[in-house]
Amino acid sequence: MPSALTTVGGAPLSRVGLGTAAFGMGGTGDDLADATFRHAIDLGINWIDTDAIFGFGGAERLVGRTLAELPAGDRPFIATAVGFDWDGRSRRATPQPAMEPRRLRQQLERSLGRLGVEAVDLVKLNLDAGSDALFEDAWSTLLDLKQGGLVRAVGLIAPDSARLERAERIGACDAVYVELSLIDRRVGDSELLWRRTPTPTVIAYRALGGGGLVAPDDPAGEPALGPLRHLIQTIAGRRHATPPAVAAAWSLTWPGVAGVAVGARCPEQVAAVAPAPEIELSVRDLSDIANLLPTLGAGRGPLHPRRFAKAA
């Protein structure tokens, strides 16, 4: 399904985007983050997903560093998020909900400074943040920022259908981010994926289950996922693909999903997942997965993307 969102040059978003949660944290230094970013672009990935809270602004600074060195025509679509803030005097502070209009504006201004841009392509409101009573004011603030030219598109992270409807009564929502993976399929029970309106664009995140779907078996971690990892590896062999690409392709198979944001720490991880849109999972692949999931007790929600209850 093509995305309704487009890059600055007018091209549709690629179906895989680069997530930057690891940027600015241990194991992904400045040069490695830069190499990862550039390799994503070389592979045809044309959007970068970040957030002010990733590395306490560190991810945005690293994204901004690479953006500054790219020709204007090569710059990808940039998405960031607001809704959490922290005490800037301490990098050990815990981000706290901050949805008041004044604080949202301040968060965005700081993000623009770290990214080194005058406007950002997409800003998402993190709905894990703050009181429900502040939601309408927060959403109105994002729409005002869009009207003022500081934001080109606005979205919501993990809304339920009621919250999306509340937002749309005030102004259009351009994008919705939903958690969707083999081990978290709950969104398949909602109305978010089968709405037949042209907007919002639906982006899945955590398609690799936070890495748990493709990590080596760890008896101290999630042993129940061992058989699922093995099956993903088997399907990857059938498809001449990598396990991360198969896991991401499964999320892309769901009706209504325009793209997936997949985190990477290094160029090799980007290369492993970038081919996901080219993988067509067969009836056998999807059935094998659907038959295995109930035996694991891992995750909740529909088992088969082409048979879930709300499918058209």
Side-chain angles (χ1 to χ4, degrees), residues 56-216:
F56 291 95
E60 288 183 331
R61 279 189 288 270
L62 290 174
V63 170
R65 171 190 166 185
T66 302
L67 279 178
E69 297 174 355
L70 292 175
D74 293 340
R75 293 179 181 178
F77 182 103
I78 301 295
T80 192
V82 294
F84 280 104
D85 208 351
W86 66 92
D87 180 356
R89 295 170 295 182
S90 172
R91 289 182 62 85
R92 291 181 293 181
T94 301
Q96 298 294 326
M99 292 180 70
E100 299 84 359
R102 176 182 60 83
R103 296 191 67 182
L104 290 176
R105 290 177 182 273
Q106 291 173 344
Q107 291 169 48
L108 177 60
E109 289 167 358
R110 291 196 294 268
S111 289
L112 294 176
R114 288 187 288 261
L115 292 166
V117 296
E118 294 182 357
V120 73
D121 297 299
L122 171 66
V123 168
K124 305 154 290 175
L125 181 64
N126 194 323
L127 295 182
D128 291 331
S131 167
D132 186 67
L134 296 174
F135 174 70
E136 274 77 9
D137 286 345
W139 185 244
S140 294
T141 300
L142 264 62
L143 293 169
D144 289 345
L145 293 169
K146 179 180 178 181
Q147 182 68 28
L150 295 179
V151 176
R152 298 186 179 95
V154 291
L156 297 168
I157 299 176
D160 55 25
S161 296
R163 195 80 67 95
L164 178 57
E165 290 176 2
R166 286 169 60 187
E168 290 182 325
R169 284 197 289 269
I170 302 171
C173 178
D174 300 303
V176 167
Y177 276 56
V178 298
E179 185 167 353
L180 176 60
S181 73
L182 284 157
I183 56 176
D184 193 335
R185 309 171 301 276
R186 290 171 295 175
V187 70
D189 284 326
S190 76
E191 300 176 2
L192 294 174
L193 298 187
W194 56 277
R195 288 164 54 99
R196 290 296 179 258
T197 55
T199 56
T201 295
V202 178
I203 302 294
Y205 66 95
R206 291 181 64 86
L208 306 186
L213 289 170
V214 294

Side-chain angles (χ1 to χ4, degrees), residues 212-213 215 217-218 222-233 292 296:
L213 289 170
D217 287 343
D218 179 3
E222 297 178 86
L225 295 183
L228 182 55
R229 293 191 193 103
H230 179 73
L231 177 56
I232 292 172
Q233 291 168 356
L292 177 64
L296 301 179

